[in-house]
Amino acid sequence: MERRTIAPRPGWQQTVEEQGLVYPLTRYPDDSLRPYWDESAYYAFSLPEVEALEEVVEELHGMCLAAAGHIVERGRFADLGIDDPRVAAAVAEAWHRRAELPSVYGRFDLCYDGTGPAKLLEYNADTPTSLVEAASPQWFWMEDRFPGADQWNSLHERLVAAWKKQDALLPPGSPLYFAHSAADELGEDLMTVAYLKETAEQAGLDTDWISMEEIGWDPLSGRFVDNRLGFIRSCFKLYPWEWLTSDEFADHVLDTLDNGGGTGTTLWIEPAWKMLLSNKALLAILWELYPDHPNLLPAYLDGPRELARTNGYVAKPLLGREGAGVTIHEPGAAPVVREEACCYQELAPLPSFDGNRVVLGAWVVEDESAGLGIRESSGPITDEYARFLPHVIL
């Protein structure tokens, strides 16, 4: 794994915009615009490195599914902050009937520098983004800059194949809606949903388009409806389950939830059991189930324990995103147990390449490894100012 500098292509911004990346620039607090898509450098991997990482990702995915089963079987929903019995019951039912429910994708964030075992930082299997740039622009960048080379990237083909396979699980006779939140000002959610809608259409599915804010409730029929009063029987939403089950329509969501078998009126994708995999408590439960596993970091729910005096720790809110609320505690610092429910994970400083802190985003489609996206940040936490860099297998 090496970071190599290279001259950006002339007209790169227009090129990646035409390939679906609607926000190639990031606006900083000083109002300056700087590249989010950064092709002034790239990462080069060897094929054995990538093959080893693919095996790690699929093993971690299997371990996460086992941990989800453990949470459901032992009734450990409170460890995840799921205190509503109705929500817990919906998640448990979705888990038990998962073979009947469409489930598409997820993203592992890994700490890896090419010299030791990759370490799991977290798993977002409910609403992962940075999908478009990983699937499309970086593939075309490789074809432009390194014709005949390869890339850890089968995302597009696997997504289309997944929709074809799971079409049989969707309610017949109605379109699959794709929904994003109109509150997203950057356009990242819209871009991600638009791309997934395109892959579903290429798989032959009948699709439609709506924002979460446009979804209505028809009290006469007791169903969710679109802006033309058509029933919404199935919907892919880039909207976290913890919001879906706590906002003003939460009771309607639970009352009408199709959790497999067509017993409800609205089937949501990703399914409710994905709440188990996108919660940072999963990291502590994995460590409990697989202590000393080479791809895991020690993690706890009740406090930092020995981490405060050994290698330091990171406190992560159970449902935080984009680095929000994450605090770093160096070795020897007085242990702090936060009032907010957190996971306390061993500090694993992100590898630094030429002063850039790197995290690997390894994608899973259904149950198989599918691709890689790389983000760099200037500081120790990967936040909304991170940059996306392409990669190639050489």
Side-chain angles (χ1 to χ4, degrees):
M1 178 179 175
E2 295 180 3
R3 187 184 194 272
R4 301 177 181 177
T5 57
I6 191 172
R9 295 167 295 175
W12 65 268
Q13 181 176 339
Q14 180 180 352
T15 297
V16 298
E17 286 178 343
E18 291 173 350
Q19 293 164 355
L21 184 58
V22 300
Y23 61 103
L25 304 174
T26 298
R27 187 173 298 279
Y28 280 68
D30 63 2
D31 213 35
S32 63
L33 288 171
R34 307 176 202 175
Y36 164 67
W37 169 269
D38 186 355
E39 58 178 71
S40 65
Y42 67 95
Y43 283 84
F45 294 83
S46 68
L47 181 58
E49 273 184 309
V50 169
E51 290 174 338
L53 285 168
E54 286 181 316
E55 291 181 4
V56 166
V57 167
E58 293 191 1
E59 181 178 6
L60 286 172
H61 179 67
M63 291 161 56
C64 289
L65 294 179
H70 168 84
I71 294 167
V72 172
E73 291 162 11
R74 301 296 178 89
R76 297 183 61 176
F77 296 101
D79 287 339
L80 281 67
I82 300 176
D83 298 320
D84 185 331
R86 292 190 70 199
V87 176
V91 172
E93 181 186 32
W95 172 255
H96 290 308
R97 307 188 70 166
R98 63 191 179 278
E100 304 169 46
L101 296 170
S103 174
V104 184
Y105 74 140
R107 191 194 73 228
F108 285 99
D109 285 348
L110 304 175
C111 180
Y112 178 72
D113 64 1
T115 62
K119 300 289 187 180
L120 173 62
L121 298 174
E122 58 187 69
Y123 190 17
N124 186 341
D126 184 19
T127 59
T129 54
S130 77
L131 175 68
V132 174
E133 45 269 57
S136 179
Q138 76 162 340
W139 179 263
F140 293 118
W141 167 89
M142 180 197 68
E143 290 188 326
D144 285 346
R145 303 313 303 264
F146 298 95
D150 202 359
Q151 193 174 78
W152 182 6
N153 189 357
S154 58
L155 276 163
H156 190 85
E157 297 85 348
R158 290 187 183 275
L159 286 166
V160 173
W163 289 121
K164 286 182 179 179
K165 177 181 175 183
Q166 300 193 31
D167 185 20
L169 301 177
L170 298 173
S174 60
L176 170 60
Y177 287 80
F178 282 79
H180 70 288
S181 173
D184 169 42
E185 297 180 354
L186 286 178
E188 182 177 28
D189 289 0
L190 174 62
M191 176 184 75
T192 304
V193 168
Y195 174 66
L196 285 164
K197 182 176 184 291
E198 178 186 344
T199 60
E201 289 171 350
Q202 290 185 18
L205 274 64
D206 179 20
T207 70
D208 208 333
W209 180 263
I210 198 167
S211 72
M212 294 298 297
E213 291 79 3
E214 289 177 309
I215 295 176
W217 174 255
D218 179 10
L220 295 178
S221 64
R223 294 186 176 192
F224 286 110
V225 294
D226 64 15
N227 42 22
R228 299 180 300 275
L229 299 182
F231 295 150
I232 297 177
R233 285 288 288 111
S234 60
C235 182
F236 175 92
K237 85 289 179 295
L238 204 68
Y239 192 79
W241 268 101
E242 65 266 21
W243 298 355
L244 201 63
T245 55
S246 62
D247 67 17
E248 62 177 305
F249 292 99
D251 286 340
H252 297 323
V253 169
L254 296 171
D255 288 341
T256 63
L257 180 60
D258 183 345
N259 243 347
T263 54
T265 58
T266 302
L267 182 150
W268 300 93
I269 308 170
E270 298 288 331
W273 66 263
K274 285 294 191 83
M275 291 181 77
L276 304 171
L277 302 187
S278 288
N279 189 300
K280 305 300 187 301
L282 174 73
L283 302 170
I285 293 171
L286 282 169
W287 184 249
E288 178 186 322
L289 298 177
Y290 303 97
D292 300 317
H293 190 282
N295 301 118
L296 297 179
L297 294 164
Y300 308 104
L301 294 176
D302 58 356
R305 300 191 192 180
E306 79 282 355
L307 304 178
R309 66 176 184 276
T310 55
N311 295 328
Y313 65 96
V314 178
K316 300 180 175 181
L318 298 187
L319 298 172
R321 286 177 169 78
E322 296 278 7
V326 172
T327 55
I328 296 176
H329 305 261
E330 298 292 340
V336 177
V337 178
R338 290 167 51 169
E339 291 186 12
E340 179 184 15
C342 287
C343 174
Y344 301 87
Q345 186 183 51
E346 182 178 83
L347 175 60
L350 296 179
S352 178
F353 289 80
D354 302 328
N356 301 285
R357 303 297 185 93
V358 181
V359 63
L360 304 189
W363 291 92
V364 169
V365 174
E366 293 189 302
D367 295 320
E368 296 184 349
S369 168
L372 174 67
I374 300 175
R375 288 171 294 160
E376 285 186 345
S377 56
S378 301
I381 297 174
T382 305
D383 57 18
E384 67 268 30
Y385 301 111
R387 305 171 296 279
F388 187 98
L389 276 75
H391 79 276
V392 66
I393 300 173
L394 296 175

